[in-house]
Amino acid sequence: MRAPKDVLRARRWIIDDIVHDFDVEDVWVLPMEGGPDDFEAVIDLVRSIDFPGSAPLPVRLLWDIRDLLGRIFGLGRISASADDAGDWPPVPGTEERSLLGRVPEELRNTATSPLVADKPFRPLYLTDTEFADEISNRTMYGVKHLAWAHQGGGRYRAYMTVYVKPRGAAGKAYMAFIKPFRYAIIYPALLRHLDRFWTERRVAH
């Protein structure tokens, strides 16, 4: 389910300094809870899940339509891997081609994994309680941040925050246009996927 945009403000996160000039698009409470050592399993699940490939037909159709529009209007494909995307457009308002330069030096190269080789995101960093990756296309520059937030009593819960910088008026219009589809179809399907696979993992262990 969606959460208030300030739900994680009770503590300071590394991502705060990296995306200080980005807008918070969404914060989602993910259906994954566990102990302090379970965040690695959360990351492995998010990285390995076949989404939208195994999602319901409406989700796959929306994904295919977005890629078709990307080819027609030069918006870039959302399903293309980061390695195949070539030189990314810079972060709007800067000359930066990646946010990796903003990541503390000791955290760079902490999030590399073969599981993300065919994904449209590029990893930024990984800690015991945070994971972030970035994506860029012709409409926006985005960052996906996963937080393993302490709920008290030694229990943790996963949250996903999406940060964006639209590319001009066209980017803002596009983000506004797709928002109802994301809220009504894309994110509910993703959360159901995560819930099912996390439950299966819990039963198996």
Side-chain angles (χ1 to χ4, degrees):
M1 59 182 174
R2 289 177 62 199
K5 292 184 178 181
D6 61 351
V7 68
L8 297 175
R9 293 299 182 188
R11 61 164 290 183
R12 185 164 178 79
W13 303 88
I14 295 167
I15 195 66
D16 294 335
D17 293 328
I18 296 171
V19 294
H20 57 83
D21 52 344
F22 281 62
D23 294 325
V24 177
E25 182 71 10
D26 298 305
V27 181
W28 294 88
V29 183
L30 301 184
M32 295 181 286
E33 295 183 283
D37 299 326
D38 288 327
F39 191 48
E40 182 179 353
V42 172
I43 300 304
D44 287 345
L45 173 58
V46 173
R47 284 173 157 181
S48 62
I49 192 170
D50 180 19
F51 189 88
S54 58
L57 181 60
V59 176
R60 301 198 306 272
L61 286 176
L62 279 177
W63 224 260
D64 291 341
I65 290 171
R66 170 56 180 85
D67 275 348
L68 177 62
L69 292 175
R71 290 194 296 270
I72 294 174
F73 297 106
L75 302 177
R77 296 177 56 220
I78 55 173
S79 58
S81 74
D83 291 337
D84 295 336
D87 290 333
W88 282 8
V91 178
T94 79
E95 296 183 356
E96 299 169 281
R97 297 281 176 172
S98 170
L99 295 177
L100 191 60
R102 303 185 185 187
V103 176
E105 188 172 357
E106 66 273 15
L107 293 180
R108 298 173 194 173
N109 300 316
T110 56
T112 56
S113 168
L115 291 175
V116 297
D118 61 345
K119 304 295 184 181
F121 293 88
R122 289 194 304 211
L124 289 172
Y125 70 92
L126 172 65
T127 71
D128 290 341
T129 56
E130 291 185 62
F131 170 73
D133 50 18
E134 61 183 350
I135 187 171
S136 177
N137 56 43
R138 297 295 176 183
T139 59
M140 64 89 200
Y141 206 105
V143 174
K144 180 175 90 265
H145 177 256
L146 299 179
W148 196 227
H150 191 216
Q151 307 295 293
R155 302 302 295 171
Y156 288 73
R157 179 127 197 183
Y159 290 79
M160 180 176 70
T161 304
V162 179
Y163 299 89
V164 298
K165 257 195 169 186
R167 298 191 186 280
K172 291 180 180 178
Y174 171 77
M175 294 297 295
F177 172 74
I178 67 171
K179 182 174 287 189
F181 299 99
R182 289 191 296 110
Y183 288 172
I185 299 176
I186 300 296
Y187 280 118
L190 174 61
L191 294 179
R192 286 193 295 270
H193 254 55
L194 293 174
D195 188 23
R196 177 162 60 90
F197 285 111
W198 188 254
T199 299
E200 290 175 356
R201 173 193 174 274
R202 204 165 40 186
V203 170
H205 290 78

